[in-house]
């Protein structure tokens, strides 16, 4: 899914080129940034497995660390709906 196609108000998992993962409620895009709310954000080292963190969040819910955050759309490599992630 493209970040611009993400549905408003739905929880999404956004992965970036830099290894950062955002999980939160998608709001909108404006120019080159996407706005998200009630996010958990985690940085991963190259080669580090992201799926355990993503699946744990899908199972137990989002551990909100930031109420509002912006994502650089040009850095986004993958977008998934949180509800579609396999639970633990």
């Amino acid at each position: 899914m493209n970040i611009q196609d993400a549905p408003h108000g739905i929880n999404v998992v956004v992965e970036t080129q830099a290894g950062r993962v955002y999980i939160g409620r998608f709001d909108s895009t404006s120019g080159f940034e996407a706005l998200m709310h009630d996010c958990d954000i985690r940085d991963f080292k190259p080669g580090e497995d992201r799926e355990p963190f993503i699946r744990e969040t899908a199972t137990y819910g989002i551990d909100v660390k930031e109420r509002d955050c912006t994502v650089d759309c040009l850095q986004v490599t993958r977008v998934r709906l949180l509800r579609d992630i396999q639970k633990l």
Side-chain angles (χ1 to χ4, degrees), residues 7 20 23 25 27 29-31 38-39 50 52-53 55 57 60 69 75 79:
R20 180 169 279 192
I23 302 178
R25 190 167 34 89
D27 187 322
T29 59
S30 60
D38 302 325
C39 297
R50 304 168 183 184
F53 164 68
R55 290 182 63 199
T57 301
Y60 300 114
C69 66
Q75 293 294 312
V79 178

Side-chain angles (χ1 to χ4, degrees), residues 45-63:
K45 297 176 185 167
E48 188 176 2
D49 190 10
R50 304 168 183 184
E51 284 305 305
F53 164 68
I54 295 169
R55 290 182 63 199
E56 180 179 320
T57 301
T59 302
Y60 300 114
I62 300 170
D63 181 15

Side-chain angles (χ1 to χ4, degrees), residues 1-79:
M1 169 187 317
N2 188 318
I3 189 73
Q4 284 85 5
D5 298 331
H8 171 78
I10 300 295
N11 287 326
V12 294
V13 178
V14 178
E15 299 175 54
T16 67
Q17 294 172 8
R20 180 169 279 192
V21 175
Y22 299 84
I23 302 178
R25 190 167 34 89
F26 178 77
D27 187 322
S28 61
T29 59
S30 60
F32 296 102
E33 290 187 328
L35 176 62
M36 295 177 64
H37 304 290
D38 302 325
C39 297
D40 191 355
I41 302 169
R42 186 169 297 177
D43 292 309
F44 290 87
K45 297 176 185 167
E48 188 176 2
D49 190 10
R50 304 168 183 184
E51 284 305 305
F53 164 68
I54 295 169
R55 290 182 63 199
E56 180 179 320
T57 301
T59 302
Y60 300 114
I62 300 170
D63 181 15
V64 176
K65 295 194 175 73
E66 291 193 33
R67 290 289 170 201
D68 302 303
C69 66
T70 57
V71 180
D72 180 353
C73 293
L74 296 176
Q75 293 294 312
V76 173
T77 57
R78 187 176 184 187
V79 178

